[in-house]
Amino acid sequence: MSEECIAALVSAQEETSKLQQATVGCEACLVGCIEHATDAGQASNSPLDRSLRQYGITYRKAVQALRDMYNEDNDSDSDNKGAGWLSGFRAAKADEDRPFSPNLKRCLVQAGKLADQMGSSQVSSHHMVLALLEYQESALYLVHILRFRRPSLD
């Protein structure tokens, strides 16, 4: 795995920890891939970075969409607290290790296969995103993020 892909998985684990989820899922991995593809510290011009910019997908928007899914609302007076469409899966404490979900494990295997098919010696975040797109639930999550802006055809 490339350093970028490992960093994306570490970011996914950190975000999962913040959301107090039991396992690292495909949706958190996608956020990690987006974070490292659009790293503000580097002017990346990778195909993944260009595609994300074309669709107006940013790390900030992806994190917000993930938190909306779990309704990570810190306002204790909110009537909708815990009402996110994945809110019922809260299970882990902040200091617990989080394993990868079975679905994410399958995506990691698929990313390795895609890297081999593409002649790459390492799995990178764009292989991960392609594998995640093949998995139905993570593809639905990406569509949730894409609601922000469609690409211009200019």
Side-chain angles (χ1 to χ4, degrees), residues 1 38 50-51 62 71 76 81 117-119 137 143-144 151:
M1 284 196 164
T38 60
R50 286 192 309 266
S51 295
N71 198 20
S76 60
K81 187 170 179 79
Q117 291 171 359
M118 297 171 83
E137 280 77 11
V143 168
H144 181 70

Coordinates of all heavy atoms in Angstrom, one line a residue, residues 1 38 50-51 62 71 76 81 117-119 137 143-144 151:
M1 N 0.8 -1.2 0.0 CA 0.0 0.0 0.0 C 0.9 1.2 0.0 O 1.9 1.3 0.7 CB -0.9 0.0 1.2 CG -2.1 -0.9 1.2 SD -3.2 -0.4 2.4 CE -4.6 -1.3 1.8
T38 N -7.2 15.3 -1.6 CA -7.4 16.8 -1.7 C -6.6 17.5 -0.7 O -6.9 18.6 -0.2 CB -8.9 17.1 -1.6 OG1 -9.3 16.7 -0.3 CG2 -9.7 16.5 -2.7
R50 N -8.5 15.6 -9.4 CA -9.2 16.4 -10.4 C -10.7 16.0 -10.4 O -11.5 16.9 -10.6 CB -8.5 16.1 -11.8 CG -7.2 16.8 -12.0 CD -6.7 16.7 -13.4 NE -6.8 15.4 -14.0 CZ -5.8 14.5 -14.1 NH1 -4.6 14.9 -13.5 NH2 -5.9 13.4 -14.6
S51 N -11.0 14.7 -10.3 CA -12.4 14.3 -10.3 C -13.2 14.9 -9.1 O -14.3 15.4 -9.3 CB -12.5 12.8 -10.3 OG -12.0 12.3 -11.5
A62 N -17.2 16.2 2.9 CA -17.3 14.7 3.1 C -17.4 14.4 4.6 O -18.3 13.6 4.9 CB -16.1 14.0 2.5
N71 N -25.5 11.6 12.5 CA -26.0 12.8 13.2 C -25.1 13.1 14.4 O -25.5 13.2 15.5 CB -27.4 12.6 13.7 CG -28.1 13.9 14.0 OD1 -27.7 14.9 13.6 ND2 -29.2 13.8 14.8
S76 N -26.7 19.6 22.6 CA -27.5 18.7 23.5 C -29.0 19.1 23.5 O -29.8 18.2 23.9 CB -26.9 18.8 24.9 OG -27.0 20.2 25.4
K81 N -31.1 14.8 17.7 CA -29.8 14.1 18.1 C -30.0 12.6 18.0 O -31.0 12.0 18.5 CB -29.4 14.5 19.5 CG -28.1 13.9 19.9 CD -27.6 14.6 21.2 CE -26.3 14.0 21.6 NZ -25.2 14.6 21.0
Q117 N -4.5 -5.2 -11.8 CA -5.1 -5.1 -13.2 C -4.6 -3.8 -13.9 O -4.4 -3.8 -15.1 CB -6.6 -5.1 -13.1 CG -7.2 -6.4 -12.7 CD -8.7 -6.3 -12.5 OE1 -9.3 -5.2 -12.7 NE2 -9.3 -7.4 -12.2
M118 N -4.3 -2.8 -13.1 CA -3.9 -1.5 -13.7 C -2.3 -1.4 -13.8 O -1.8 -0.4 -14.2 CB -4.4 -0.3 -12.8 CG -5.9 -0.3 -12.9 SD -6.6 0.9 -11.7 CE -6.5 2.4 -12.6
G119 N -1.7 -2.5 -13.4 CA -0.2 -2.5 -13.5 C 0.5 -1.7 -12.4 O 1.7 -1.3 -12.6
E137 N -23.1 0.1 -0.9 CA -23.4 1.0 0.2 C -22.5 2.2 0.1 O -22.9 3.3 0.4 CB -23.3 0.3 1.5 CG -24.5 -0.5 1.9 CD -24.6 -1.8 1.2 OE1 -23.6 -2.2 0.6 OE2 -25.7 -2.4 1.3
V143 N -22.8 9.2 -3.6 CA -23.9 9.9 -4.1 C -24.5 11.0 -3.1 O -24.8 12.1 -3.5 CB -25.1 9.0 -4.6 CG1 -26.4 9.7 -4.9 CG2 -24.6 8.2 -5.8
H144 N -24.5 10.6 -1.9 CA -24.9 11.5 -0.8 C -24.0 12.8 -0.8 O -24.4 13.9 -0.6 CB -24.9 10.8 0.6 CG -25.3 11.6 1.7 ND1 -26.6 12.1 1.9 CD2 -24.6 12.1 2.7 CE1 -26.7 12.8 3.0 NE2 -25.5 12.8 3.5
P151 N -20.9 18.3 -11.8 CA -19.8 19.0 -12.6 C -20.3 19.8 -13.8 O -21.4 19.5 -14.3 CB -19.0 17.8 -13.1 CG -20.0 16.7 -13.2 CD -21.0 16.9 -12.1

